Amino acid sequence: MTRHLDHYDVYYADKLWNLLPAIYRSLDSDEFSGNGPLRELVNRIGAQAAILRRSIDRAWEDQSIETCDDWVIPYIGDLLATNLVSNLDSRAQRLDVAKTIYYRRRKGTLALLEELAFDVTGWDAKVVEFFRRMGRTRHGLDPQIGWVEKAGDGTDKLQQAEGLAGRLTRSQIGGTASLRNNYGSSKTGSAFDEFFHTPDFRPGRGKTGWHDIPHVGVFLWRLKSFDLPPTTPVAVTNPPTCAGWFTFDPTGRSISLFADASRKSEQYGNRWISPAEEQLPGPISQALYDANTKASPDAKAIELYPNSLTVLSTPVPQSDTDIVPANQVRVQSERGWFAYNSSPPQEVWVRYHYGFSSDIGAGPYDRRLRRKALPTPAPHMTFSGGGAALMPGSVPASAVPQTGTLTLVDSLTYTGADSIAATGVLTIRAGNRQRPLIRLPAGSGGTITEWTISGAPGSSLVLDGLFISGGDIVIRGSFTTITITCCTLDPGSASDMLDSSPPSGNFAISADGRELIPTRFWIEGSVETLTVERSIMGPIRTRGGGKIQTLDITDSILQALPESVSSPPQSPLSPPAEPNNVAIALDSGEVCLSRCTVLGGISVHRLRVSESILQGVAKVDDTQHGCVRFTAWTIGSILPEKYESVVISAQAILFTSTDFGNPGYCQLLATADTAILRGTNSAIQNTISEGSQDGSEMGAFARERNAIKERGLLIKFQEFMPIGLVPVIVHVT
């Protein structure tokens, strides 16, 4: 029997039992610690009474939109005649119903359109009336225009309030563009454009058809900005001429730093203010960073340094004195580098924001949400401080248990890990909202460092929230289950010079001169069930007789990079060599992929795929079992029965970027559907951008339901946008 926290079942069972005559209670059972048949009957009646009581309590709660069950939301919406969108998102539906009267009172205002976009989609938005950015002839009712005598005087404020002059460039309506302000000039063609344009009568779509009288631009920031706790930067030694610089990224990659999504809920409604660029979760351009650091405190909405990025003097900052002042460091925000104006200290720590599409992979988000609880057996151990704490010979590493829970409670870099032998249930995890990096040391003589985890028969392994880079993971022995959840096994970065002659290398080089090789997951032992959830992975392969009975992957990205430029010649009698860019290579067992993006080939025995993107040739031995449904697959693949799926060309361009570390990694392009190869039959073709079972996009980000959110937003705009105006959706990120 399931126990509830209200204990109603116990309360009503005891109450009924005490109402019975004492003679019947005494004759029910001879055992003091056991229940007789009468007591068991009373307990079951009490359980049913508890269910009835809970139902009555929920009936009271269901009368309010704040506390009602999800299934009640449409019924309350009908009472208000709300045009409730079917976006499969109870949060957005609940807000829609709760704020219906609020919306109607502010219908047609710019402030409401921005708030509506945030409530329906959860994305930050800025709405621009494009007719205000059109050059036009002035008439007699227009306010006075001309160069102001002093910035901030009455004429200056009036011109900015009426949209007759830009805040930064002071460009005036109908006049020529002023290019004196570097940051203001760089915003041309964005939501913060201060120049005036000639009309564009094309239909508004993407980057075209903006400047027309009925068009209203809805700029959406779809990427999330993740606030990373103190991490360990990497000193730049490659190239040597950049000595003294550091990368914010702990793997040594050059990444674009993101601004914090600092727009608060109280800045909507009666206190609405159109957001500044530094308040929105987008990449920080160098012009924006320079303008923000030089501006006076009253002239900027928020300080990018230290709110979005910070250089620290301690990994555990306690006060403002632990933050290195902005005038003591130089920052290249587009590259993700920084340097001290003087000699750097021996140890440096940083905090920064990075951008990504979803809460998958290792990251500083709440991993407890939207998943079942993971096993955390005793004994419990916590590691902190980074460095060699997990390396052989260190005191903490020598105490790592063979069964239990090991937690890394910070986001610093650990320079390697000792081999582990599990005899029971072993959980290795990051602290909640932390992203520790285990950066395996570089191998010698062309070898790759391996982190070996062995298991005794009946043992289980859980990896949760870890970021592992620099080498391979090797599984030996026997495991009943292996669970990898919310982890990033670095898929590596390909060299940009592979097309050069001669080739310069297979992989990109980090700031400290190491190759950014993929972290491969090798199975050399026996695994009954390998489960991967919400993770970013390199290749998963077997060798040395390794076996996996069931491989189950959901909401994840798998990528395999070519490991060699050319393959050695083979004899015509030799079996065909396996391609070196295979993301999953198993000679037995069953593979189940659900809402996954696979960059690379697949070579498995049996396969079931749902709502995924296979950007590589997939070859399945047993095509009589399994199914491929709501999936994009590459031409030339050998797959089982297909349902509502589409075929794409080899090396089809589908994503903003396939380079791990880029904010748009595996994010679908708006033109992704053009890669579909139309069949010769007249059957209805599915799409990639809206081809999942629930109408969202295929691939690892199907869980975000971006297509459904955007459709819901357009439906709500039809209800609350002024008559005659047409929304133009622009994806900023």
Side-chain angles (χ1 to χ4, degrees), residues 250-381:
T251 64
R253 287 178 167 88
S254 296
I255 63 170
S256 178
L257 303 180
F258 261 55
D260 182 20
S262 56
R263 195 178 188 187
K264 307 302 181 183
S265 59
E266 57 266 18
Q267 293 177 326
Y268 292 105
N270 295 331
R271 298 183 179 181
W272 172 80
I273 299 176
S274 185
E277 186 178 11
E278 55 264 31
Q279 294 179 278
L280 299 170
I284 304 174
S285 65
Q286 193 63 43
L288 170 61
Y289 180 81
D290 293 340
N292 185 269
T293 53
K294 294 177 182 177
S296 62
D298 297 335
K300 50 190 174 184
I302 192 172
E303 294 183 345
L304 291 175
Y305 191 103
N307 290 283
S308 296
L309 56 109
T310 313
V311 180
L312 303 172
S313 58
T314 173
V316 188
Q318 301 292 336
S319 63
D320 293 340
T321 58
D322 297 328
I323 299 176
V324 179
N327 58 7
Q328 295 184 14
V329 293
R330 293 165 289 162
V331 175
Q332 295 182 1
S333 58
E334 297 179 2
R335 200 176 186 182
W337 287 22
F338 73 95
Y340 283 82
N341 293 332
S342 58
S343 299
Q346 293 293 329
E347 294 185 287
V348 184
W349 298 269
V350 294
R351 289 190 66 167
Y352 67 97
H353 287 73
Y354 69 94
F356 195 54
S357 298
S358 181
D359 296 345
I360 68 174
Y365 54 87
D366 194 343
R367 303 194 308 275
R368 299 170 300 179
L369 302 177
R370 300 168 65 178
R371 75 170 190 184
K372 62 182 180 181
L374 297 173
T376 56
H380 296 268
M381 295 187 59

Side-chain angles (χ1 to χ4, degrees), residues 150-470:
K150 182 181 179 181
D153 61 12
T155 303
D156 185 24
K157 292 180 180 179
L158 178 61
Q159 290 182 4
Q160 292 188 38
E162 294 292 331
L164 302 177
R167 181 177 63 89
L168 296 171
T169 63
R170 298 298 194 274
S171 295
Q172 300 179 4
I173 186 171
T176 57
S178 175
L179 306 179
R180 294 177 179 85
N181 186 285
N182 181 32
Y183 169 59
S185 302
S186 67
K187 296 295 100 183
T188 305
S190 72
F192 307 94
D193 191 352
E194 295 188 354
F195 298 152
F196 298 89
H197 303 262
T198 55
D200 186 351
F201 299 110
R202 292 175 292 179
R205 182 177 300 172
K207 293 290 185 179
T208 61
W210 284 13
H211 301 97
D212 196 4
I213 292 176
H215 288 176
V216 176
V218 183
F219 293 84
L220 300 175
W221 280 258
R222 298 179 298 169
L223 295 183
K224 300 180 181 181
S225 182
F226 293 93
D227 181 11
L228 200 61
T231 62
T232 309
V234 175
V236 177
T237 59
N238 179 48
T241 56
C242 295
W245 286 85
F246 298 84
T247 66
F248 281 88
D249 183 76
T251 64
R253 287 178 167 88
S254 296
I255 63 170
S256 178
L257 303 180
F258 261 55
D260 182 20
S262 56
R263 195 178 188 187
K264 307 302 181 183
S265 59
E266 57 266 18
Q267 293 177 326
Y268 292 105
N270 295 331
R271 298 183 179 181
W272 172 80
I273 299 176
S274 185
E277 186 178 11
E278 55 264 31
Q279 294 179 278
L280 299 170
I284 304 174
S285 65
Q286 193 63 43
L288 170 61
Y289 180 81
D290 293 340
N292 185 269
T293 53
K294 294 177 182 177
S296 62
D298 297 335
K300 50 190 174 184
I302 192 172
E303 294 183 345
L304 291 175
Y305 191 103
N307 290 283
S308 296
L309 56 109
T310 313
V311 180
L312 303 172
S313 58
T314 173
V316 188
Q318 301 292 336
S319 63
D320 293 340
T321 58
D322 297 328
I323 299 176
V324 179
N327 58 7
Q328 295 184 14
V329 293
R330 293 165 289 162
V331 175
Q332 295 182 1
S333 58
E334 297 179 2
R335 200 176 186 182
W337 287 22
F338 73 95
Y340 283 82
N341 293 332
S342 58
S343 299
Q346 293 293 329
E347 294 185 287
V348 184
W349 298 269
V350 294
R351 289 190 66 167
Y352 67 97
H353 287 73
Y354 69 94
F356 195 54
S357 298
S358 181
D359 296 345
I360 68 174
Y365 54 87
D366 194 343
R367 303 194 308 275
R368 299 170 300 179
L369 302 177
R370 300 168 65 178
R371 75 170 190 184
K372 62 182 180 181
L374 297 173
T376 56
H380 296 268
M381 295 187 59
T382 59
F383 285 10
S384 62
L390 299 177
M391 289 291 289
S394 64
V395 175
S398 60
V400 173
Q402 296 179 332
T403 179
T405 303
L406 188 156
T407 305
L408 306 180
V409 296
D410 54 28
S411 296
L412 301 180
T413 298
Y414 293 81
T415 57
D418 194 5
S419 299
I420 297 176
T423 58
V425 179
L426 176 62
T427 297
I428 307 174
R429 64 177 183 173
N432 194 37
R433 297 187 181 275
Q434 299 289 338
R435 195 193 72 171
L437 170 64
I438 300 177
R439 197 181 188 202
L440 301 176
S444 59
T447 61
I448 297 177
T449 303
E450 296 180 347
W451 183 21
T452 303
I453 304 177
S454 304
S459 59
S460 298
L461 173 67
V462 177
L463 302 179
D464 177 25
L466 302 178
F467 187 4
I468 303 171
S469 179

Side-chain angles (χ1 to χ4, degrees), residues 6-233:
D6 53 29
H7 301 295
Y8 280 157
D9 48 353
V10 177
Y11 169 77
Y12 286 110
D14 288 346
K15 188 172 183 179
L16 290 173
W17 180 252
N18 291 327
L19 290 176
L20 293 175
I23 183 64
Y24 298 123
R25 286 182 285 163
S26 62
L27 295 176
D28 183 45
S29 176
D30 295 333
E31 297 181 8
F32 179 78
S33 60
N35 295 328
L38 181 60
R39 178 67 187 195
E40 288 293 339
L41 177 62
V42 170
N43 287 346
R44 280 156 177 76
I45 297 175
Q48 295 304 310
I51 294 174
L52 181 61
R53 172 62 184 273
R54 295 188 190 104
S55 179
I56 294 174
D57 291 345
R58 286 307 307 164
W60 284 102
E61 300 292 339
D62 286 342
Q63 296 184 65
S64 172
I65 187 63
E66 289 83 3
T67 58
C68 70
D69 291 328
D70 291 345
W71 66 268
V72 184
I73 296 176
Y75 294 94
I76 300 179
D78 284 343
L79 298 176
L80 299 172
T82 302
N83 186 16
L84 193 65
V85 296
S86 177
N87 57 359
L88 304 179
D89 185 355
S90 59
R91 168 199 167 273
Q93 289 184 336
R94 195 178 298 271
L95 281 174
D96 188 7
V97 175
K99 302 173 73 172
T100 293
I101 306 300
Y102 170 88
Y103 290 155
R104 289 172 180 169
R105 288 173 177 171
R106 294 161 175 79
K107 183 175 182 178
T109 62
L110 207 62
L112 172 67
L113 297 181
E114 285 189 1
E115 187 172 1
L116 193 65
F118 177 74
D119 289 344
V120 173
T121 65
W123 302 329
D124 283 274
K126 181 179 176 64
V127 179
V128 178
E129 297 169 308
F130 280 135
F131 67 84
R132 294 187 181 275
R133 303 260 60 87
M134 293 175 59
R136 63 178 176 85
T137 303
R138 298 184 68 254
H139 53 72
L141 298 179
D142 279 333
Q144 178 183 358
I145 195 169
W147 292 107
V148 298
E149 296 182 1
K150 182 181 179 181
D153 61 12
T155 303
D156 185 24
K157 292 180 180 179
L158 178 61
Q159 290 182 4
Q160 292 188 38
E162 294 292 331
L164 302 177
R167 181 177 63 89
L168 296 171
T169 63
R170 298 298 194 274
S171 295
Q172 300 179 4
I173 186 171
T176 57
S178 175
L179 306 179
R180 294 177 179 85
N181 186 285
N182 181 32
Y183 169 59
S185 302
S186 67
K187 296 295 100 183
T188 305
S190 72
F192 307 94
D193 191 352
E194 295 188 354
F195 298 152
F196 298 89
H197 303 262
T198 55
D200 186 351
F201 299 110
R202 292 175 292 179
R205 182 177 300 172
K207 293 290 185 179
T208 61
W210 284 13
H211 301 97
D212 196 4
I213 292 176
H215 288 176
V216 176
V218 183
F219 293 84
L220 300 175
W221 280 258
R222 298 179 298 169
L223 295 183
K224 300 180 181 181
S225 182
F226 293 93
D227 181 11
L228 200 61
T231 62
T232 309

